[in-house]
Amino acid sequence: MGLAKEGIREMLLATVVLGAAAWGLSMIHWAAALPMLVVWGWAISFFRDPKREATFVDGEMCAPADGTVTEVTHLDHDDRIAGPAIHVGIFLSIFNVHANRAPCAGTVRDVRYKPGRFLDARNPESGALNESNTVVLDVESPHKGPVVVRQVSGLLARRIVCHADVGTRLARGQRFGMIKFGSRTELIVPAEPGTEVVVQIGDKVHAGLTVLLRQPLPSED
């Protein structure tokens, strides 16, 4: 399993600081160094970046993040969708892989960063009030769009990373960024008749692997 390049600075800092602390504590007793080693192991594992490949059928969108589904909401109107929408929120704990992946194939229409607060990502208000980065995709057939992926900071997350620029073409499941430490990722899609959300609140999902919802194919309209 690889490690995310976005975490090189943090991993080096953790190695130096925790390594020095462990060495100093080991001078007192070897067991005193164990907590530092456990924290170091977590700091490194946080930036794990597994390779993922999955096969999907037409119309399926995959989860854009690892974590727990905390919200499935039908919106009367979303400005970015320009109409009714379905909103799925995923909470990423400090133990989840934090890479974000495209839910479907498409070209980035807009990327918009918004400064904000750092509420606990499980707080329903965090999506509206916290620091966030919004990626709008013009999707490829047979999907219907636009589709919105929002990277939302959390209580501990203090940096959102997004490598996608306007005009970037993303394949379904392609990695485009990450959020450092606990956070939230949201998927917003048009509420087309026949769209089926296949996850429920409390379900565990994996970016690029778990089917989150299915849109109807043209022949099904």
Side-chain angles (χ1 to χ4, degrees):
M1 181 179 294
L3 296 173
K5 62 182 180 180
E6 296 92 339
I8 291 176
R9 182 182 64 180
E10 287 83 356
M11 287 186 286
L12 287 175
L13 182 62
T15 299
V16 172
V17 173
L18 295 172
W23 181 83
L25 290 170
S26 68
M27 296 297 100
I28 302 172
H29 192 280
W30 67 267
L34 292 180
M36 296 300 101
L37 296 177
V38 170
V39 174
W40 176 82
W42 167 80
I44 299 301
S45 68
F46 176 86
F47 292 102
R48 63 195 185 278
D49 189 17
K51 292 184 178 180
R52 291 180 175 174
E53 295 182 3
T55 301
F56 300 95
V57 302
D58 288 344
E60 291 182 337
M61 289 192 188
C62 65
D66 286 35
T68 304
V69 177
T70 56
E71 183 178 356
V72 178
T73 307
H74 291 260
L75 307 175
D76 292 333
H77 183 84
D78 183 272
D79 291 339
R80 294 151 299 198
I81 299 296
I86 297 173
H87 176 282
V88 181
I90 301 169
F91 169 70
L92 293 74
S93 79
I94 58 174
F95 300 107
N96 288 125
V97 172
H98 271 57
N100 290 128
R101 296 176 181 270
C104 60
T107 301
V108 177
R109 175 199 297 184
D110 188 35
V111 179
R112 189 160 302 182
Y113 169 80
K114 179 179 77 69
R117 300 171 63 183
F118 296 97
L119 300 175
D120 189 315
R122 289 167 292 190
N123 187 327
E125 295 184 344
S126 65
L129 300 179
N130 281 18
E131 175 187 68
S132 65
N133 188 66
T134 301
V135 178
V136 181
L137 287 173
D138 286 323
V139 302
E140 298 177 6
S141 179
H143 293 291
K144 298 177 176 65
V147 165
V148 177
V149 180
R150 296 187 69 234
Q151 301 169 284
V152 183
S153 66
L155 183 64
L156 298 177
R158 298 286 163 160
R159 187 180 176 205
I160 295 172
V161 180
C162 179
H163 300 300
D165 297 315
V166 173
T168 300
R169 194 254 177 200
L170 296 173
R172 179 168 43 195
Q174 182 176 342
R175 188 183 186 283
F176 69 87
M178 75 177 301
I179 314 173
K180 295 185 180 180
F181 306 106
S183 52
R184 174 184 176 94
T185 300
E186 301 175 342
L187 175 64
I188 305 168
V189 303
E192 293 284 340
T195 299
E196 177 189 8
V197 179
V198 298
V199 294
Q200 300 178 345
I201 293 175
D203 285 354
K204 307 294 184 182
V205 298
H206 296 87
L209 296 178
T210 305
V211 176
L212 212 63
L213 58 84
R214 297 186 181 95
Q215 289 185 317
L217 300 179
S219 60
E220 298 174 339
D221 290 345

